[in-house]
Amino acid sequence: MTDLVGIFVFAISGALLAVRKNFDVFGMAVLAEVTALGGGLFRDLIIGAVPPAAFTNLGYFVTPLVATVLVFFLHPQVERIQRGVNVFDAAGLGLFCVTGTAKAYDYGLGLTASATLGLASAVGGGVLRDVLANEVPSLLRWDRDLYAVPAIVGAAMAALCIRFGILNPLTSTLAVLTALSLRLMALKYHWRAPRAWHRSSVTTEEPERVMP
């Protein structure tokens, strides 16, 4: 049930971006599905868990469609509760980085590779969403609050727990909560990753183009 909540919230973010980009309902559904399932699909293909869960669990496929319908009719109201959506998005981030790490390890990968795929599970869908929407992925932008770092911390905690044989529901929850807390604190205090020292070039953000 918790994974469906994470999928739902990730799908909301994809559908909202589609609305901002003036996509039609099909485009909204595509971005919702990709955002919600892209990271897990990538992980499953890498570890050989085929067919991927996204294609064997009907709930995984239908949940983003439900999110699409909600945003299609109620996107102004959804935008107004963006803070609440961010909380659930952070929870989904923490959940997927931990469960992704554990699943990758169960399929025979080493700890480092498992943590890497845990990170990919958490952030991969967002990267695909931004690429399809012709945006620089938020993961790579210096002017965005930390997103990958909390997922890295959560995945690393899960990998360490596996290493010492103490990964259980309690320690998994602790790793999820740690990633969740870091993400929420980054949103509140606008924590951002440092850029290169002594940069000689200055990059300015292009103004957002208004779709006709």
Side-chain angles (χ1 to χ4, degrees):
M1 182 62 183
T2 52
D3 55 346
L4 291 180
V5 173
I7 287 172
F8 180 79
V9 177
F10 281 177
I12 288 284
S13 71
L16 283 175
L17 179 59
V19 171
R20 297 182 191 120
K21 288 287 186 175
N22 204 26
F23 288 4
D24 63 15
V25 65
F26 179 75
M28 291 174 62
V30 169
L31 280 197
E33 292 282 357
V34 165
T35 308
L37 305 177
L41 180 62
F42 173 79
R43 177 203 61 219
D44 288 351
L45 290 175
I46 291 295
I47 64 179
V50 291
F55 293 97
T56 59
N57 188 325
L58 184 61
Y60 284 15
F61 181 78
V62 171
T63 299
L65 297 181
V66 174
T68 299
V69 172
L70 177 68
V71 173
F72 182 83
F73 288 106
L74 300 174
H75 65 87
Q77 290 83 353
V78 175
E79 290 275 15
R80 283 199 291 269
I81 60 169
Q82 186 64 51
R83 181 172 297 181
V85 172
N86 286 339
V87 173
F88 285 104
D89 180 82
L93 182 79
L95 174 69
F96 290 150
C97 72
V98 173
T99 58
T101 300
K103 184 171 183 177
Y105 184 80
D106 288 341
Y107 274 78
L109 270 65
L111 292 177
T112 301
S114 295
T116 301
L117 280 185
L119 170 64
S121 300
V123 305
V127 172
L128 292 173
R129 172 201 64 205
D130 292 342
V131 169
L132 287 176
N134 198 28
E135 294 263 321
V136 176
S138 298
L139 189 69
L140 305 178
R141 295 180 59 169
W142 67 270
D143 59 338
R144 293 293 188 267
D145 300 327
L146 292 179
Y147 195 77
V149 172
I152 291 171
V153 171
M157 288 181 64
L160 286 174
C161 289
I162 293 171
R163 169 65 180 81
F164 293 104
I166 56 172
L167 187 67
N168 53 50
L170 179 60
T171 55
S172 296
T173 301
L174 179 61
V176 170
L177 291 177
T178 300
L180 165 65
S181 300
L182 286 175
R183 173 58 178 162
L184 292 180
M185 291 176 70
L187 286 170
K188 180 176 181 179
Y189 298 109
H190 302 296
W191 291 347
R192 292 168 184 172
R195 290 182 286 173
W197 288 9
H198 309 300
R199 291 180 303 113
S200 59
S201 62
V202 177
T203 301
T204 57
E205 293 296 315
E206 294 183 1
E208 183 176 353
R209 294 187 293 271
V210 178
M211 302 294 291

